[in-house]
């Protein structure tokens, strides 16, 4: 009877514990959900408070709104912190404590229950075995009896342990549940007390704002009535004859000198017009589609542009801003506005030059004593030294100590295509003329290539003023003086260089005398060059097609002389291996066969050329050792252009013909005079194989003459009647420096003449290792551009990339070497 009652009680307790576990699990899950929801609430509440703070920051002009919203945001943030503490306490008191009770105490109860159930089953089995023992088998009866006795003894111990575990669980159940819930309720009590104290402190401010709110409503209604009255008054006024007022203000606080709406013509095929908000700021012309958009730059530097009216299009009130790289067509709303914008752009150009000039002078004064990082300091010092060296060399030329146009002492700017020095004001005016008339460069801030310095030293203010101011005194024109108004100086410069009003035009007889004199001078140079002491020339092949072997010992041009020796290649074998290894590693280009030369169009081919091609000395020795004449190789090009120059009476004398012969005699003053008289820099001599002045400069052998023509917009790819450009002729003559210069200026090395000969194939046939190397490097550099450029666009990779820097260094070294030799 007692055992049955115990069984019933245990089963009841087990059912109760099972239900308790289920309820506790549910409560813990609900607590976790509540905590997660609370965290999400806090996150949303934080965003809301951030919005309040942003609104307060936006209302900085209204002190009442800013201070009130800031205080409210701080109070709400404190409430968020209190909520966070509350949820942390709920996690500790409900979730953690109850989960510990479930995992520890209920687990022990379950383990005790498993042992109780197991012993109960063993006891039932012992009872069954004892009942089945037969009488006539005494040993089985004894064995069953012993097992039953031992099992009953174990069962009693297990039952006692199980009952003890049940009692412990029931007792701990009360304490753990009440303890966790009481802790959670105290957390709520603390939360509400803190909230009450917080808002008790905030209550006086809230009451004060409530009192001010009524007055704010009254003030807002009054302002509304005043605005409606003003609006009604303005509507009655007639604005039909008034125009938008725009003023140029270089000292504006926001840095915007002028701004307003303009129509801009798109650069697409449809040429659509769009209304945009334009502004002049930081020496740039920019526009915006919307006020919130980032400005789009139309002109990066106003010093490099000019502005002009446009009367040749259908729309009215149009003007154009032109820079060296592009132009932008714009339309104002009226003629008055157009004039205002044009004047504003012109004033901005002048202001930019004044500002940059002041900065340049400060930089000149500080560059020698400035300190900084090792890298930046070294670059600045190197650049400053180059500028100082250029300044000293250029100012040493007679007349260059003062500005060419106004006489301002100590000029710091130069026009590189005219060969003159300028002050800061005149340099700005020259920039506004356009790069087709004058290219301005700083003598102190910019780096100067050696060939450009040579051009400046060949000309100078004295030479140019003798040409461009020849009739100034005769016409009674006054030359500007330092300090004269800008508009007067600008008018004089335009008359001098654009209109060429003071240039003395030669008569036909004078022009004929000049051209004949230049042609005779060329002949004297040709004949006298044979008696000059020998000097190492640029690397040229010994045997030239079309040369007079018997009469001139293999030199191709009579005015170049007959040097007995040729210097070695600029690159030794190890340097060339290193150079080409660098290019091969960077570009990972595969060698391809060249149809022109039959050797690989790669670094290996050029190294093979240097390794297997003897120098001119060895060729000369070989010729001297063999008595019979050596036959010409089958692959040599057709007769080169270095034939004896013969002057024929032309059909007509023109400034272009003067430029033609002056280029051949390397006379830069005569060339500048011809250009001032209106000579076309790309003039073609139809009576002499359609050659140009640039080709004649190649024939003359002067790299400086070529540089002067290129600075004045000579076409580096213009061909003669044989389909040969300047690069072809320089290659035939073996003028390495000129080859470098033309490659540097974008000469097309893939162009073929009428015999399908490219410069590379000509250099290979002539066994000129240096020029072969340079042409291959140029070709590899083009391939590198295609490989490294984004979106496979040729020539778009950075100009300061290691590949481009290595290539430029090589080109400049050849040019410097050529200049040193000449």
């Amino acid at each position: 009877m007692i055992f049955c009652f115990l069984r019933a009680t245990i089963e009841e307790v087990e059912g109760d514990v099972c239900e308790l576990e289920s309820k506790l699990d549910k409560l813990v899950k609900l607590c976790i959900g509540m905590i997660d929801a609370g965290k999400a609430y806090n996150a949303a509440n934080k965003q809301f408070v951030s919005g309040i703070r942003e609104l307060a920051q936006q209302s900085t002009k209204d002190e009442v709104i800013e201070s009130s919203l800031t205080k409210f945001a701080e109070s709400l943030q404190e409430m968020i912190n209190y909520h966070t503490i509350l949820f942390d306490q709920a996690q500790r008191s409900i979730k953690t404590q109850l989960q510990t009770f479930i995992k520890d105490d209920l687990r022990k109860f379950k383990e005790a229950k498993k042992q109780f159930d197991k012993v109960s089953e063993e006891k039932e089995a012992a009872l069954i075995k004892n009942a089945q023992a037969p009488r006539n088998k005494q040993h089985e009866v004894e064995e069953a009896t012993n097992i039953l006795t031992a099992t009953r003894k174990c069962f009693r111990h297990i039952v006692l342990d199980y009952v003890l575990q049940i009692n412990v669980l029931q007792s701990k159940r009360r304490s753990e549940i009440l303890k966790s819930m009481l802790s959670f309720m105290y957390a709520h009590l603390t939360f509400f007390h803190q909230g009450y104290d917080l808002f008790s402190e905030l209550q006086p401010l809230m009451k004060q704002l409530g009192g001010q709110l009524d007055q704010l409503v009254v003030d807002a209604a009054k302002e509304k009535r005043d605005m409606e009255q003003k609006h009604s008054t303005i509507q009655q006024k007639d604005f039909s004859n008034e125009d938008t007022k725009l003023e140029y203000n270089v000292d504006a606080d926001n840095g915007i000198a002028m701004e307003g709406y303009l129509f801009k013509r798109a650069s697409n095929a449809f040429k659509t017009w769009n209304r945009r908000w334009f502004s002049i700021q930081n020496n740039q012309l920019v526009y915006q589609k919307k006020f919130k958009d980032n400005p789009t730059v139309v002109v990066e530097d106003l010093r490099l542009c000019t502005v002009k009216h446009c009367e040749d299009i259908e729309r009215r009130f149009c003007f154009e801003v032109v820079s060296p790289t592009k132009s932008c067509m714009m339309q104002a709303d009226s003629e008055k506005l157009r004039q205002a914008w044009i004047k504003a752009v012109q004033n901005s150009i002048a202001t930019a030059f004044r500002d940059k000039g002041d900065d340049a002078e400060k930089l000149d004064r500080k560059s020698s004593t400035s300190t900084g990082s090792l890298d930046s300091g070294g670059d600045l010092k190197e650049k400053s030294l180059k500028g100082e060296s250029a300044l000293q060399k250029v100012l040493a030329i007679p007349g260059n100590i003062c500005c060419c146009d106004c006489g301002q002492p100590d000029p710091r700017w130069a026009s590189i295509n005219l060969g003159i020095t300028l002050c800061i004001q005149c340099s700005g005016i020259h920039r506004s003329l356009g790069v087709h008339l004058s290219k301005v460069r700083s003598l102190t801030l910019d780096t100067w290539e050696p060939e450009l310095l040579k051009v400046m030293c060949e000309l100078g203010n004295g030479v140019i003023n003798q040409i461009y101011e020849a009739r100034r005194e005769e016409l009674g024109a006054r030359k500007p003086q330092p300090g004269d108004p800008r508009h007067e100086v600008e008018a004089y410069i335009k008359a001098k260089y654009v209109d060429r009003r003071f240039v003395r035009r030669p008569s036909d007889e004078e022009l004929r005398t000049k051209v004949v004199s230049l042609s005779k001078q060329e002949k004297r140079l040709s004949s006298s060059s044979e008696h000059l002491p020998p000097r190492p020339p640029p690397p040229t092949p010994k045997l030239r097609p079309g040369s007079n072997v018997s009469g001139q010992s293999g030199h191709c041009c009579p005015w170049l002389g007959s040097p007995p020796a040729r210097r070695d290649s600029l690159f030794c074998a190890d340097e060339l291996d290193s150079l080409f290894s660098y290019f091969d590693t960077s570009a990972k280009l595969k060698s391809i066969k060249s149809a022109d030369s039959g050797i690989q169009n790669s670094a290996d081919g050029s190294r093979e050329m240097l390794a297997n091609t003897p120098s001119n000395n060895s060729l000369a020795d070989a010729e001297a050792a063999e008595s019979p004449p050596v036959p010409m190789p089958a692959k040599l090009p057709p007769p080169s252009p270095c034939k004896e120059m013969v002057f024929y009476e032309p059909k007509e004398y023109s400034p272009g013909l003067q430029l033609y012969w002056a280029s051949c005699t390397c006379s830069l003053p005569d060339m500048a005079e011809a250009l001032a008289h209106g000579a076309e820099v790309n003039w073609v001599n139809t009576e002499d194989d359609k050659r140009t002045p640039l080709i004649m400069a190649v024939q003359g052998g002067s790299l400086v003459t070529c540089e002067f023509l290129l600075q004045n917009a000579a076409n580096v790819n213009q061909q003669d009647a044989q389909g040969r450009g300047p690069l072809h002729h320089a290659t035939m003559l073996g003028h390495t420096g000129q080859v470098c210069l033309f490659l540097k200026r974008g000469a097309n090395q893939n162009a073929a003449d009428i015999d399908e000969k490219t410069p590379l194939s000509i250099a290979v046939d002539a066994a000129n290792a240096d020029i072969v190397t340079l042409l291959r490097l140029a070709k590899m550099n083009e391939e590198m551009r295609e490989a490294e450029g984004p979106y496979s666009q040729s020539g778009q990779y950075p100009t300061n990339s290691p590949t481009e820097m290595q290539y430029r260094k090589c080109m400049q070294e050849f040019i410097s070497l050529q200049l040193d030799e000449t």
Side-chain angles (χ1 to χ4, degrees), residues 674-721:
L675 291 174
H677 291 162
E680 171 60 38
V681 72
N682 293 311
W683 183 82
V684 176
N685 191 349
T686 56
E687 301 176 10
D688 188 11
D689 284 346
K690 295 184 178 180
R691 295 187 179 188
T692 63
L694 185 57
I695 293 178
M696 293 303 292
V698 176
Q699 299 291 332
S702 171
L703 189 146
V704 178
T705 307
C706 297
E707 174 68 14
F708 176 72
L709 291 171
L710 290 172
Q711 287 295 340
N712 283 278
N715 186 354
V716 75
N717 290 312
Q718 188 164 347
Q719 299 175 343
D720 59 11

Side-chain angles (χ1 to χ4, degrees), residues 539-545 556-557 560 636-642 691 698-699 720 722-736 738-739 753 755 757-759 762-763 766 768 771 775:
T540 57
K542 177 63 182 174
L543 194 57
R544 294 291 179 205
C556 64
C557 297
L560 292 178
L636 283 178
S640 75
C642 354
R691 295 187 179 188
V698 176
Q699 299 291 332
D720 59 11
Q722 304 298 322
R724 297 169 186 159
L727 185 58
H728 284 82
H729 288 270
T731 304
M732 288 179 170
L733 293 172
H735 293 171
T736 310
Q738 291 178 345
V739 170
D753 59 14
D755 296 323
K757 288 289 186 179
T758 64
I762 293 173
N768 193 319
I771 295 182
L775 292 172

Side-chain angles (χ1 to χ4, degrees), residues 793-810:
Q793 294 179 359
S794 175
Q796 296 299 315
Y797 73 115
T799 57
N800 58 350
S801 68
T803 304
E804 182 76 3
M805 297 300 290
Q806 186 80 358
Y807 172 70
R808 290 185 176 184
K809 180 180 179 182
C810 176

Side-chain angles (χ1 to χ4, degrees), residues 457-485:
C457 294
E458 289 286 335
L459 296 171
N461 294 354
V463 173
I464 297 302
N465 279 339
Q466 286 180 3
I467 299 171
Y468 284 88
E469 294 183 352
R471 301 180 63 236
R472 180 181 62 80
E473 295 182 358
E474 176 186 339
L475 296 176
R478 175 184 174 273
K479 186 170 183 175
Q481 300 297 321
D484 283 355

Side-chain angles (χ1 to χ4, degrees), residues 359-372 376-388 444-445:
D359 295 342
E361 293 177 359
K362 293 178 182 178
L363 182 60
D364 288 341
R365 291 194 296 269
K366 295 181 179 179
S367 60
S368 59
T369 58
S370 62
T371 58
S376 62
D379 295 340
L380 181 59
K381 183 178 180 181
E382 180 182 359
K383 184 173 182 180
S384 176
L385 287 176
K386 289 181 180 179
E388 188 66 26
T444 56
L445 301 179

Side-chain angles (χ1 to χ4, degrees), residues 265 306-310 318-322 327-330:
R265 190 174 71 177
T306 183
V307 60
K308 62 180 182 179
H309 296 77
C310 291
C318 293
F319 63 97
E320 186 177 16
V321 176
V322 182
S327 64
C328 181
M329 184 73 68
M330 290 168 287

Side-chain angles (χ1 to χ4, degrees), residues 580-810:
F580 276 106
S581 174
Y582 169 81
F583 276 95
D584 291 339
T585 303
S586 300
K588 299 181 180 178
L589 300 175
K590 296 181 179 180
S591 297
I592 59 174
K593 290 292 183 178
S594 171
D596 296 329
S597 63
I599 61 176
Q600 286 186 343
N601 186 11
S602 66
D604 297 335
S606 294
R607 286 194 290 267
E608 179 183 344
M609 173 63 68
L610 284 180
N612 298 333
T613 302
S615 67
N616 279 5
N617 288 338
S618 61
L619 287 175
D621 295 340
E623 288 180 357
E626 298 179 6
S627 54
V630 181
M632 298 291 286
K635 293 188 66 177
L636 283 178
S640 75
C642 354
K643 60 187 179 182
E644 183 75 27
M645 302 301 297
V646 179
F647 177 76
Y648 296 100
E649 188 73 19
K651 296 179 181 179
E652 180 184 0
Y653 288 90
S654 65
L657 189 61
Q658 176 182 339
L659 178 63
Y660 183 82
W661 284 102
S663 300
C664 186
T665 58
C666 311
S667 176
L668 264 67
D670 288 324
M671 295 169 66
E673 183 183 48
L675 291 174
H677 291 162
E680 171 60 38
V681 72
N682 293 311
W683 183 82
V684 176
N685 191 349
T686 56
E687 301 176 10
D688 188 11
D689 284 346
K690 295 184 178 180
R691 295 187 179 188
T692 63
L694 185 57
I695 293 178
M696 293 303 292
V698 176
Q699 299 291 332
S702 171
L703 189 146
V704 178
T705 307
C706 297
E707 174 68 14
F708 176 72
L709 291 171
L710 290 172
Q711 287 295 340
N712 283 278
N715 186 354
V716 75
N717 290 312
Q718 188 164 347
Q719 299 175 343
D720 59 11
Q722 304 298 322
R724 297 169 186 159
L727 185 58
H728 284 82
H729 288 270
T731 304
M732 288 179 170
L733 293 172
H735 293 171
T736 310
Q738 291 178 345
V739 170
C740 293
L741 181 64
F742 296 147
L743 290 174
K744 181 180 174 182
R745 294 306 179 88
N748 181 14
Q749 61 169 319
N750 299 317
D753 59 14
I754 59 176
D755 296 323
E756 300 300 325
K757 288 289 186 179
T758 64
L760 179 58
S761 62
I762 293 173
V764 171
D765 292 343
N768 193 319
D770 281 347
I771 295 182
V772 170
T773 301
L774 287 171
L775 292 172
R776 292 196 184 282
L777 284 177
K779 187 174 184 64
M780 293 173 66
N781 191 50
E782 291 180 359
E783 295 175 355
M784 291 284 289
R785 287 177 177 175
E786 295 177 356
E788 297 180 16
Y791 310 109
S792 300
Q793 294 179 359
S794 175
Q796 296 299 315
Y797 73 115
T799 57
N800 58 350
S801 68
T803 304
E804 182 76 3
M805 297 300 290
Q806 186 80 358
Y807 172 70
R808 290 185 176 184
K809 180 180 179 182
C810 176

